[in-house]
Amino acid sequence: MFIKSKKALSYADMFKQQAPEMTPLEGDVSVSMTIYYASRRPDLDESLILDLLQGVTYINDRQVKEKHIYWGLDKENPRAEIEVKKMGD
């Protein structure tokens, strides 16, 4: 993972501070997330978040076999609400 912008590096630092400690899931997973932005300007892009979840909720983002990604607007509280579930075999 190569993060190039200062804004992305700042986001990554904040993410690491807020991410819960847990044992990463093994096997295939599904991810559902709503990304709430502070303005209408940004395009919906979950790629940085999926990278940051590596080693936290799953071992590698190649485990993600199903994604549901939604765009939201919250000028007062921009955030990402994320749910990761292990998929059945």
Side-chain angles (χ1 to χ4, degrees), residues 29-33 50 58 64 66-69 82-84:
V29 298
S30 68
V31 175
S32 179
M33 76 173 79
L50 291 173
Y58 45 74
V64 178
E66 182 177 308
K67 296 189 287 187
H68 301 273
I69 312 300
I82 307 162
E83 181 178 38
V84 179

Side-chain angles (χ1 to χ4, degrees), residues 20-36:
E21 288 190 31
M22 58 186 295
T23 302
L25 297 171
E26 295 184 22
D28 295 340
V29 298
S30 68
V31 175
S32 179
M33 76 173 79
T34 303
I35 305 170
Y36 291 91

Side-chain angles (χ1 to χ4, degrees), residues 42-55:
D43 292 336
L44 181 63
D45 185 5
E46 76 283 2
S47 59
L48 176 59
I49 295 171
L50 291 173
D51 284 343
L52 293 171
L53 288 170
Q54 290 185 126

